[in-house]
Amino acid sequence: MMSETVLEVKDLKTWFFTRRGTVKAVNGVDFVLKRGECLCLVGESGCGKTVTALSILRLFDSPPGRIVGGQVIYKGDDLATCPMQRLREIRGGDIAMVFQNAQSSLNPVFTVGDQIAEQVMVHERVSRREALSRAHALMEEMNIPQPGRALNMYPHQMSGGMKQRAMIAMSLSCSPQILIADEPTTAVDVTIRAQIIHILRELKTRRDMSIIFITHDLSLVKDIGDRAAVVYGGRVVEVAAVEDILKNPAHPYTVGLIDCLPDVSSQDKRLPSIAGNTPNPLEMPSGCPFHPRCSHVMDICRSKMPACANITDVHTVSCYLFGDKNGGIAR
Ligand code: SF4
């Protein structure tokens, strides 16, 4: 059952105030996360996926970054504004994050076992011996061979795939309700990628955990996601079940992303792409941020942000092709 909402992000805005101007990296993101589901945030690099994830736990540099609007509701608290003390309890405890690059996320001067045990002891009153025993069990759960030996290794002694799995083990050490995985398979080869996806899918089911999986790769969304939220220009432009979004994409950007999926059976060796580039966040286009690249663009698209329209009860899109042409949001 994927009914209970565990996290609700409402009109979230995270801006960075730099000397060159204001970067509106997240500019009105809305989504809900249900218990036991994997929600994929998908889009090209620079569209706001990672800053959205960092904003949930306020993990971006401030200054220059600041949440200027919106809410992140978790267990009745608004994580966008709650006291830092409460946020620290939630970080790594209730909500954990796995970053893209395990190499730079692990401390090179401590063994992996020490780092996992430390994480457990920060959040729970347990002895070091018990924390290490939990670390051992987690390494086993991650299918790391000879887990006792692996616990005594320093990060540089591990392969890329082992390090990424050790990072996942560390993030799971306090049994989080929500795991945020930011492109966790970017730096690993295809076999390790398949293993990590398999592990995450199993964890989701076994622990009834919710996952926010961030990726630019729609083929991964097929493998792991229950629902997908397509992000562009710092906003969610379409949300639906993964199967629905892949079969019946509505937003022209989603259609473009799906058309870019490589077809190995095709004789045509050219890789398709979406015309144009992601917008410069310092000079975000007026109206719909996709309008400079959209082949369906209309006059209204250039001046007013489209509101969210329902295609079905569980499939929403932010595009004038589907909503009331006068119902946009002036921004
Ligand atoms: Fe294209 Fe207009 Fe829809 Fe934006 S609102 S995706 S520009 S048709």
Side-chain angles (χ1 to χ4, degrees):
M1 283 282 289
M2 290 193 307
S3 52
E4 185 196 344
T5 295
V6 289
L7 184 82
E8 189 169 6
V9 176
K10 292 185 192 171
D11 199 19
L12 184 66
K13 292 180 182 149
T14 306
W15 296 358
F16 292 81
F17 298 89
T18 72
R19 267 183 293 176
R20 291 177 55 209
T22 303
V23 176
K24 298 179 179 177
V26 174
N27 200 23
V29 162
D30 293 281
F31 65 83
V32 295
L33 179 69
K34 304 282 186 184
R35 176 176 298 284
E37 80 163 338
C38 176
L39 173 72
C40 295
L41 296 187
V42 61
E44 294 162 290
S45 297
C47 63
K49 311 178 299 285
T50 294
V51 181
T52 298
L54 293 174
S55 300
I56 291 170
L57 292 171
R58 295 192 345 231
L59 284 172
F60 52 83
D61 287 337
S62 179
R66 188 161 22 110
I67 294 180
V68 297
Q71 294 178 304
V72 179
I73 306 295
Y74 175 73
K75 286 188 176 169
D77 286 312
D78 178 5
L79 306 189
T81 54
C82 72
M84 197 43 89
Q85 168 76 20
R86 173 71 182 130
L87 195 60
R88 284 202 193 99
E89 288 164 16
I90 289 170
R91 282 180 186 164
D94 291 43
I95 305 179
M97 188 149 179
V98 179
F99 296 95
Q100 269 182 39
N101 189 345
Q103 179 65 46
S104 57
S105 303
L106 290 166
N107 191 325
V109 299
F110 292 102
T111 64
V112 166
D114 279 342
Q115 293 182 60
I116 300 177
E118 170 77 15
Q119 167 84 359
V120 176
M121 289 190 293
V122 163
H123 288 275
E124 293 174 35
R125 285 176 178 274
V126 295
S127 65
R128 183 178 150 72
R129 190 191 176 93
E130 196 177 331
L132 277 170
S133 145
R134 182 135 11 130
H136 189 279
L138 284 163
M139 297 294 259
E140 274 181 334
E141 202 176 354
M142 291 301 109
N143 294 333
I144 292 181
Q146 297 181 283
R149 188 170 156 258
L151 283 179
N152 290 318
M153 288 173 137
Y154 289 89
H156 74 273
Q157 295 173 305
M158 291 183 152
S159 66
M162 259 173 108
K163 274 195 282 250
Q164 195 58 279
R165 280 179 286 169
M167 275 293 298
I168 297 173
M170 196 183 308
S171 67
L172 295 174
S173 57
C174 294
S175 305
Q177 284 205 352
I178 299 173
L179 181 71
I180 303 173
D182 184 6
E183 309 245 18
T185 58
T186 298
V188 296
D189 61 42
V190 281
T191 49
I192 301 297
R193 184 176 107 158
Q195 279 181 24
I196 290 173
I197 295 296
H198 178 73
I199 286 169
L200 289 175
R201 267 203 320 239
E202 286 220 329
L203 285 170
K204 180 179 76 103
T205 311
R206 201 179 324 128
R207 295 180 173 224
D208 198 20
M209 192 172 70
S210 308
I211 298 177
I212 297 176
F213 189 91
I214 295 169
T215 182
H216 60 272
D217 184 347
L218 266 176
S219 58
L220 273 182
V221 173
K222 258 192 284 191
D223 292 338
I224 191 167
D226 297 302
R227 287 189 308 133
V230 180
V231 183
Y232 189 82
R235 302 182 73 230
V236 171
V237 296
E238 184 165 5
V239 183
V242 167
E243 216 180 284
D244 196 12
I245 228 161
L246 293 174
K247 281 193 188 143
N248 308 304
H251 196 283
Y253 178 58
T254 315
V255 173
L257 285 178
I258 290 170
D259 286 348
C260 291
L261 279 173
D263 178 1
V264 285
S265 62
S266 168
Q267 296 298 312
D268 189 349
K269 298 284 181 274
R270 285 169 304 181
L271 286 174
S273 62
I274 304 174
N277 296 311
T278 48
N280 176 348
L282 283 165
E283 292 163 15
M284 207 51 97
S286 58
C288 169
F290 191 59
H291 86 248
R293 305 171 78 184
C294 181
S295 55
H296 304 277
V297 62
M298 298 169 274
D299 281 348
I300 192 170
C301 306
R302 296 190 176 91
S303 57
K304 261 178 139 184
M305 186 83 82
C308 199
N310 277 10
I311 293 178
T312 68
D313 285 354
V314 288
H315 188 164
T316 58
V317 63
S318 177
C319 171
Y320 286 115
L321 296 174
F322 301 90
D324 175 357
K325 290 190 174 48
N326 299 312
I329 311 158
R331 276 188 188 156

